[in-house]
Amino acid sequence: MEDKQLETYKALMEQTLLSDLELNSVDPTNPIRVDVVPRGWKLLGAGNYAGVFMHGEYPEIAVKVYAPGREGWESECEVYQRIGDHPAYSRCYHAGEYKGHYYLILKRLQGKTLYQCIIDGVAIPKKAIEDIDQALDYARARGLHPHDVHGKNVMVKDGRGIVLDISDFLKEEPCQMWDDLKKAYNRIYMPFLSKRPKPVPEWVLNGVRKGYRWMRSSSVTGRSS
């Protein structure tokens, strides 16, 4: 992204998005609430810390705006600085603050999450899994700790794997999510679903996800007791 284009985009973002955007942090364990999205902008997604937005004239760029009172902006800035430029990750063009809004201007990642691939019956190639594995090793080599890498945070684009969210890569506690997902991919998806992928109802995946969370929390409780 050229400097002139970045300055033009920053001015547009500050004048038309951040001046009127309303984000609210209701419960730190649940996604933030986006009450007002200014005209010309589209909400791409809302997580526990921030909302991600796109302007119609700049479809290749995304803005991640942290909700008031939510921590993590400084950590995510550091993660992107360490990651640098890698094909499996987004790229941070600029990070700043305007009228109390802390934000990051990012290369927009486009594709389909592994979670949505299962729902839509779209094939998940082995190469995409290998790409994500290699990307996580790349992050570890730069002193990061891949965390919260699950089916909704990784994507497939043109058969290649992409890591969508790296905001928690400074957390040092162990995270088994990606290893567990790979086990499910190799033991269930590859032998039973890969050759003829069929749509799976979202309620089934939600049930699997809740069961997985219960299993992981039970194992942690068991080890600590």
Side-chain angles (χ1 to χ4, degrees), residues 115 152 201-212:
Y115 183 85
K152 290 186 176 182
E202 188 169 9
W203 65 266
V204 173
L205 287 189
N206 282 332
V208 171
R209 183 166 56 87
K210 290 178 181 179
Y212 170 78

Coordinates of all heavy atoms in Angstrom, one line a residue, residues 115 152 201-212:
Y115 N -14.6 -23.8 9.0 CA -16.0 -24.0 9.6 C -17.1 -23.9 8.6 O -17.9 -24.7 8.4 CB -16.2 -23.0 10.7 CG -17.5 -23.1 11.5 CD1 -17.6 -23.9 12.6 CD2 -18.6 -22.3 11.2 CE1 -18.8 -24.0 13.3 CE2 -19.8 -22.4 11.9 CZ -19.9 -23.2 13.0 OH -21.0 -23.3 13.7
K152 N -12.9 -21.4 12.8 CA -13.4 -20.1 12.4 C -12.3 -19.1 12.2 O -12.6 -18.0 11.8 CB -14.4 -19.6 13.5 CG -15.7 -20.4 13.5 CD -16.7 -19.7 14.4 CE -18.1 -20.4 14.4 NZ -19.1 -19.8 15.3
P201 N -25.2 -29.6 8.6 CA -26.0 -28.5 9.3 C -25.2 -27.8 10.3 O -24.4 -28.4 11.1 CB -27.2 -29.3 9.8 CG -27.3 -30.5 9.0 CD -25.9 -30.9 8.6
E202 N -25.4 -26.5 10.4 CA -24.6 -25.7 11.4 C -24.9 -26.2 12.8 O -24.0 -26.1 13.7 CB -24.9 -24.2 11.3 CG -24.0 -23.4 12.1 CD -24.1 -21.9 11.7 OE1 -25.0 -21.5 10.9 OE2 -23.2 -21.1 12.3
W203 N -26.2 -26.6 13.1 CA -26.5 -27.1 14.5 C -25.7 -28.3 14.9 O -25.3 -28.5 16.1 CB -28.0 -27.3 14.6 CG -28.5 -28.5 13.8 CD1 -29.1 -28.5 12.5 CD2 -28.5 -29.9 14.2 NE1 -29.4 -29.7 12.1 CE2 -29.1 -30.6 13.1 CE3 -28.1 -30.6 15.3 CZ2 -29.3 -32.0 13.2 CZ3 -28.3 -32.0 15.4 CH2 -28.9 -32.6 14.3
V204 N -25.3 -29.1 13.9 CA -24.4 -30.3 14.2 C -23.0 -29.8 14.6 O -22.5 -30.2 15.6 CB -24.3 -31.2 13.0 CG1 -23.3 -32.3 13.2 CG2 -25.7 -31.8 12.7
L205 N -22.5 -28.8 13.8 CA -21.2 -28.3 14.2 C -21.2 -27.6 15.5 O -20.2 -27.6 16.3 CB -20.7 -27.3 13.1 CG -20.2 -28.0 11.8 CD1 -19.6 -27.0 10.9 CD2 -19.3 -29.2 12.0
N206 N -22.2 -26.8 15.8 CA -22.3 -26.2 17.1 C -22.4 -27.2 18.2 O -21.8 -26.9 19.3 CB -23.6 -25.3 17.1 CG -23.4 -24.0 16.4 OD1 -22.3 -23.5 16.2 ND2 -24.5 -23.4 15.8
G207 N -23.0 -28.3 18.0 CA -23.0 -29.3 19.0 C -21.7 -29.9 19.2 O -21.2 -30.2 20.4
V208 N -20.9 -30.1 18.1 CA -19.6 -30.6 18.2 C -18.7 -29.6 19.0 O -17.9 -30.0 19.8 CB -19.0 -30.9 16.8 CG1 -17.5 -31.3 16.9 CG2 -19.8 -32.1 16.2
R209 N -18.8 -28.4 18.6 CA -18.0 -27.3 19.2 C -18.3 -27.2 20.7 O -17.3 -27.1 21.5 CB -18.3 -26.0 18.6 CG -17.5 -24.8 19.1 CD -17.7 -23.6 18.1 NE -19.1 -23.2 18.0 CZ -19.7 -22.4 18.7 NH1 -19.1 -21.8 19.8 NH2 -21.0 -22.1 18.5
K210 N -19.5 -27.3 21.2 CA -19.9 -27.3 22.6 C -19.3 -28.5 23.3 O -18.8 -28.4 24.4 CB -21.4 -27.1 22.8 CG -22.0 -25.8 22.4 CD -23.5 -25.7 22.5 CE -24.0 -24.4 22.1 NZ -25.5 -24.3 22.2
G211 N -19.4 -29.6 22.6 CA -18.9 -30.9 23.2 C -17.4 -30.8 23.4 O -16.8 -31.2 24.4
Y212 N -16.7 -30.2 22.4 CA -15.3 -30.1 22.5 C -14.9 -29.1 23.6 O -13.9 -29.4 24.4 CB -14.7 -29.5 21.1 CG -13.3 -29.1 21.2 CD1 -12.3 -30.1 21.1 CD2 -12.9 -27.8 21.3 CE1 -10.9 -29.7 21.2 CE2 -11.6 -27.4 21.4 CZ -10.6 -28.4 21.3 OH -9.3 -28.0 21.3

